[in-house]
Amino acid sequence: MNRHAGIVAETTAANYTGLTAKLTIPSKIHVNEGYVDWYMGIGKSAIEAGISYKAGVGFKVFINGVVDAEKKDVRSRPVSFLSPGQTVDMKLVYNHNTKKATLYINSKPIDWATEVSATTDALKRLNSYNTVKLVHGVEDSGFNTFSQATYSSPQLRLDTAGTQYKTWTSSLSTTTSRVLADAGSADHFYVLQNFPLSTRLDRA
C-alpha cells in the first residue's frame, strides 16, 4: 500500500480533555483494499478513536493508543449498527488522573473502548489538558473512494468532570493535510469545508 494520508483539523491550544462532534458518514463508500476512516484524537498522536470502513469487513469501531489496541479484535471490532449516510454523535474523553479514555457513539460508551488505560508511549504525549483533533483518513494503493464525509456541531471538553463544554470554532484550530506515505497521497482528498471538516476522497 502506498497511500496513507488524512485531513486533520486540530486545536492550536492544549486546553482540552476531550471533544464531541456529529459525523455524517459518506453515503457512497468504495474500499478496494485497506481502509478509510473518520476519527477523533486527543494529544499528539496519543489517543485516537472512531469509525473505519475496511475491505472485506465493513464498518469497525476502534480506539488506539491504549492497552491491547494492537491485539486483533480487542480494541477494534466490526459493528452492525452503522450504515452509509448515517449521522452519528461521537465523543472521546481522557482523564489524566486515571490515565484512561472512553469513546461514546450516540451517547453510549463502546464496550471495548470504555475506561481503557493509555499506553506508556501515549502517556509520554499526554497531559491533564491536550490538543484535540478531527480526522478523515485513508490507507490503500489509491483505489478507495468516498463521497462527502462531514463533521458538524463540534464541542470542546474543558474539564475532567465533563460538565463544561464550549463550541469549537474555526478560530481555535487549523486544518492541514497529513501524509504518512506517498508524498502525493493527500492530493486526492478534496476539502469541501475546512471547518467543521468536510471532505471527499477520489482515486489516486
Side-chain angles (χ1 to χ4, degrees):
M1 297 185 187
N2 57 16
R3 181 166 69 164
H4 190 184
I7 304 298
V8 184
E10 185 170 26
T11 59
T12 52
N15 294 335
Y16 312 108
T17 62
L19 68 163
T20 72
K22 295 180 184 295
L23 168 68
T24 299
I25 299 168
S27 58
K28 296 180 181 179
I29 306 169
H30 172 75
V31 175
N32 184 67
E33 50 163 0
Y35 61 84
V36 293
D37 55 8
W38 311 277
Y39 62 92
M40 299 175 159
I42 298 175
K44 296 294 183 181
S45 299
I47 305 291
E48 298 177 335
I51 295 166
S52 68
Y53 193 92
K54 186 175 177 62
V57 177
F59 286 104
K60 300 183 78 173
V61 170
F62 68 90
I63 185 166
N64 292 327
V66 297
V67 174
D68 292 334
E70 76 287 353
K71 293 184 178 179
K72 181 176 174 60
D73 297 329
V74 174
R75 305 293 182 204
S76 177
R77 301 186 190 180
V79 296
S80 60
F81 61 83
L82 297 173
S83 59
Q86 180 180 356
T87 297
V88 296
D89 287 298
M90 296 171 58
K91 178 169 71 171
L92 179 63
V93 301
Y94 173 71
N95 186 330
H96 199 59
N97 292 327
T98 63
K99 308 294 191 289
K100 292 180 178 181
T102 298
L103 172 68
Y104 300 78
I105 294 183
N106 291 335
S107 301
K108 296 181 180 179
I110 298 301
D111 289 347
W112 55 93
T114 297
E115 288 290 302
V116 284
S117 298
T119 62
T120 299
D121 186 56
L123 286 172
K124 295 175 182 177
R125 299 189 294 276
L126 289 165
N127 295 298
S128 295
Y129 296 89
N130 301 279
T131 58
V132 297
K133 64 185 177 183
L134 297 169
V135 183
H136 293 178
V138 62
E139 183 173 8
D140 69 348
S141 291
F143 296 99
N144 294 346
T145 64
F146 60 73
S147 59
Q148 185 171 349
T150 302
Y151 284 114
S152 59
S153 304
Q155 298 281 320
L156 298 166
R157 188 175 188 256
L158 303 178
D159 63 339
T160 56
T163 59
Q164 299 178 44
Y165 285 83
K166 75 173 181 180
T167 300
W168 182 355
T169 62
S170 59
S171 64
L172 301 173
S173 64
T174 59
T175 298
T176 58
S177 62
R178 180 192 63 184
V179 180
L180 302 179
D182 182 339
S185 64
D187 293 347
H188 300 282
F189 261 109
Y190 289 87
V191 178
L192 306 173
Q193 182 174 278
N194 270 309
F195 195 85
L197 188 59
S198 183
T199 71
R200 184 185 81 240
L201 177 67
D202 289 352
R203 289 180 56 167

